[in-house]
Amino acid sequence: MQLSSRLKLRAGVRLKFDRTRNANLLLLPERTVKLNHSAAAVLSCLNGTATVDDVLSLLAMRYNSQNLTKDVIAFLEEARDKGWVQAIDD
Amino acid sequence: MIEPPYALTCELTHRCPLKCLYCSNPLSLIRAEDELTTDEWLRVICEAKELGIVQVNFSGGEPLAYEGLPQIVALCKNFDLYTHLVTSGIGLDRRKFDTLRQSGLESIQISFQADDERLSESIAGGNFLAQKRAAASLVAGSDIPLTLNVVLSRFNLDRLEQILDQFLKFRPRRIELANVQFYGWALANRSYLLPSSEQLKRAEALYLARKAKLNGEVEIDWVISDYFENYPKPCMGGWASTHLCVTPVGEALPCLAASAIKGLPFPSVKSKDLSWIWYESEAFNRFRGLGWMTKPCSECELRFVDFGGCRCQAFLLTGDASSADPVCRLSPARHLIDEALAEKNRTAVRYRCFSQPDASVP
């Protein structure tokens, strides 16, 4: 995954904070995924303009940690492979 | 503790222009005059939101034949519920599509029977392929993600390659290759629909090759043909665990096939609210968890994986909904599946129809 890639949730995929379960959910056609806190934090940064690099900086600032890069990129690659996110220039 | 359900499937109507041999609807179809009204559906949606449901699926019959669909979709949108339409594509013209899109519909699945007219017609009991293609093009050209579905059986498994080529032209978000499951009309036509194991193996190999080639670009799913398996499918993730269905007449079910289970009093949304139905009703609690199980399931390590399989299939084939799913090699009734697989005499084929002539059916 390129640091300069701009990512967004794919069409038909959206994040929802669910008050009943007090949890972030990812909604897809005929499927719901209950997200943990970090997955929701990463996915909520994907607005189609931020690059992977921007997302990393934002999360590093928010969680005051420089060691997130490997985990975040691994998660974004997994999210792409699962069809949750796509690069905007795809 | 019982968790709230994630999804509601609204089976809006049993009316449908198609007469598919594999239809999973019950043999005694519900007539137009007995369907819930739009106001009743709107109340069900309100109760669903209160219950914690986040996804609403519309199915049928052909849900586009239900007049109030756009209104129901709009209320879901208002409540921030994810909406998904499962359609044959028949009736999805530009005007209908625009209305649904403006109402907030988020996702559409269109089913096909085959890649050519002759075969499609012999499966669906009518010539609908051109209309389906037009509907798929309409969705493909929009921002609504398209899922394309085909129910696979002896008739079309050998055409899988051509079916996939046709599907990819519509740039779908997802492809669902669903081997026929034997409920309703499909069970009545089982001897016609069951493939050979060679057919199934060839098709599955083709699916795996194409999936690897697509490399995640298009999501592609394979729904197994459970008769050919050694262990049952973990149906619905266990009875009444995540999903709630309502039939055209307002009967609430943990899964759409469950109406076949006789002797279990399924509650109606006309007289009970969804919360009571989910948490309190006898029907929804009957097979929850593992406590209802008898041998061999009650002593089997796999009970945590497959939850004893499908209750509806157990009932349909053995007459006892609390027995093991007969697909299981450990079930004393597995011979019923093996006999069906070995059956050479084919019964007369039955196209889906209402039991008596009905003026309301298109």
Side-chain angles (χ1 to χ4, degrees):
Chain A
M1 178 164 289
Q2 309 275 346
L3 287 176
S4 59
S5 295
R6 292 173 205 284
L7 300 178
K8 64 167 188 177
L9 292 180
R10 284 184 69 167
V13 182
R14 68 180 169 93
L15 273 170
K16 175 190 171 90
F17 181 75
D18 175 37
R19 288 202 186 87
T20 307
R21 296 167 185 83
N22 199 26
N24 283 288
L25 304 178
L26 194 67
L27 304 179
L28 306 100
E30 291 189 283
R31 200 144 31 104
T32 306
V33 183
K34 198 168 166 181
L35 297 170
N36 63 28
H37 184 75
S38 20
V42 177
L43 293 179
S44 65
C45 296
L46 309 181
N47 57 8
T49 29
T51 62
V52 173
D53 206 25
D54 295 337
V55 171
L56 289 168
S57 313
L58 191 70
L59 292 168
M61 206 154 63
R62 194 186 290 170
Y63 296 100
N64 195 20
S65 165
Q66 297 303 319
N67 307 322
L68 300 170
T69 307
K70 209 174 126 212
D71 288 348
V72 171
I73 288 187
F75 170 72
L76 285 172
E77 283 174 347
E78 189 191 328
R80 180 196 56 198
D81 294 345
K82 283 181 173 162
W84 299 354
V85 310
Q86 66 173 112
I88 212 136
D89 36 33
D90 270 4
Chain B
M1 200 185 113
I2 302 168
E3 301 284 337
Y6 283 103
L8 167 71
T9 295
C10 303
E11 194 178 56
L12 295 175
T13 178
H14 280 165
R15 287 172 287 144
C16 183
L18 281 71
K19 306 185 180 91
C20 300
L21 297 172
Y22 59 73
C23 184
S24 61
N25 283 162
L27 295 179
S28 87
L29 296 167
I30 293 162
R31 289 163 185 286
E33 58 268 30
D34 297 325
E35 291 173 0
L36 292 184
T37 63
T38 301
D39 281 347
E40 285 172 315
W41 278 114
L42 296 176
R43 184 174 52 74
V44 168
I45 298 298
C46 292
E47 292 175 6
K49 173 205 156 224
E50 288 303 314
L51 184 53
I53 277 166
V54 291
Q55 296 226 354
V56 180
N57 306 312
F58 299 101
S59 78
E62 174 47 67
L64 291 171
Y66 192 84
E67 195 88 357
L69 174 63
Q71 241 180 300
I72 304 169
V73 170
L75 183 65
C76 292
K77 166 81 178 168
N78 205 10
F79 288 157
D80 195 33
L81 305 176
Y82 191 100
T83 47
H84 175 71
L85 174 70
V86 178
T87 174
S88 66
I90 307 309
L92 195 64
D93 55 17
R94 167 60 71 185
R95 204 169 59 90
K96 191 80 162 222
F97 176 73
D98 286 344
T99 308
L100 287 167
R101 200 177 153 279
Q102 282 153 19
S103 303
L105 186 66
E106 292 187 73
S107 165
I108 297 180
Q109 171 180 308
I110 299 178
S111 61
F112 281 72
Q113 282 70 42
D115 60 298
D116 75 87
E117 287 191 359
R118 193 194 51 78
L119 184 55
S120 299
E121 187 166 348
S122 69
I123 298 172
N127 186 0
F128 300 101
L129 186 58
Q131 288 177 75
K132 284 169 177 287
R133 285 178 176 153
S137 300
L138 206 54
V139 183
S142 80
D143 53 357
I144 294 186
L146 172 66
T147 298
L148 293 174
N149 159 286
V150 59
V151 173
L152 296 169
S153 67
R154 186 171 69 91
F155 296 105
N156 57 5
L157 271 164
D158 296 332
R159 300 290 300 177
L160 184 56
E161 180 143 40
Q162 292 83 350
I163 292 171
L164 281 170
D165 288 341
Q166 167 179 253
F167 278 5
L168 290 170
K169 287 182 189 149
F170 297 109
R171 299 189 314 277
R173 162 87 167 69
R174 183 167 159 252
I175 293 174
E176 188 179 79
L177 307 174
N179 281 287
V180 57
Q181 309 290 307
F182 295 105
Y183 304 97
W185 295 86
L187 183 58
N189 289 315
R190 185 175 65 182
S191 60
Y192 264 89
L193 295 167
L194 264 175
S196 70
S197 66
E198 293 73 31
Q199 260 189 312
L200 197 59
K201 273 182 203 142
R202 278 198 303 271
E204 189 169 8
L206 178 74
Y207 148 74
L208 288 169
R210 295 296 286 264
K211 187 185 171 82
K213 202 170 150 202
L214 284 167
N215 193 25
E217 204 178 306
V218 178
E219 209 177 310
I220 174 165
D221 292 329
W222 175 262
V223 178
I224 60 162
S225 184
D226 62 345
Y227 276 42
F228 292 87
E229 299 289 319
N230 290 320
Y231 297 104
K233 55 197 173 196
C235 213
M236 310 299 286
W239 183 264
S241 68
T242 59
H243 208 113
L244 195 150
C245 306
V246 177
T247 69
V249 76
E251 194 176 41
L253 307 168
C255 122
L256 282 171
S259 65
I261 302 178
K262 302 293 170 231
L264 199 51
F266 290 107
S268 168
V269 299
K270 288 185 179 178
S271 52
K272 297 288 182 186
D273 73 61
L274 283 193
S275 173
W276 183 90
I277 288 169
W278 183 255
Y279 291 107
E280 310 290 336
S281 72
E282 185 200 347
F284 277 67
N285 281 304
R286 177 74 71 90
F287 302 114
R288 261 202 183 113
L290 308 171
W292 56 270
M293 287 179 177
T294 54
K295 285 182 198 172
C297 299
S298 56
E299 295 174 348
C300 181
E301 279 310 302
L302 291 172
R303 69 187 182 281
F304 305 105
V305 178
D306 59 33
F307 317 106
C310 173
R311 297 303 85 228
C312 314
Q313 186 147 277
F315 178 84
L316 285 167
L317 299 186
T318 73
D320 176 5
S322 63
S323 65
D325 186 330
V327 157
C328 186
R329 287 282 163 204
L330 304 169
S331 160
R334 170 70 206 195
H335 65 94
L336 296 173
I337 301 287
D338 293 329
E339 283 157 21
L341 291 172
E343 181 64 61
K344 293 280 178 282
N345 295 321
R346 301 210 158 97
T347 53
V349 64
R350 288 176 73 186
Y351 283 100
R352 179 195 197 273
C353 63
F354 284 77
S355 49
Q356 274 133 39
D358 181 356
S360 65
V361 184

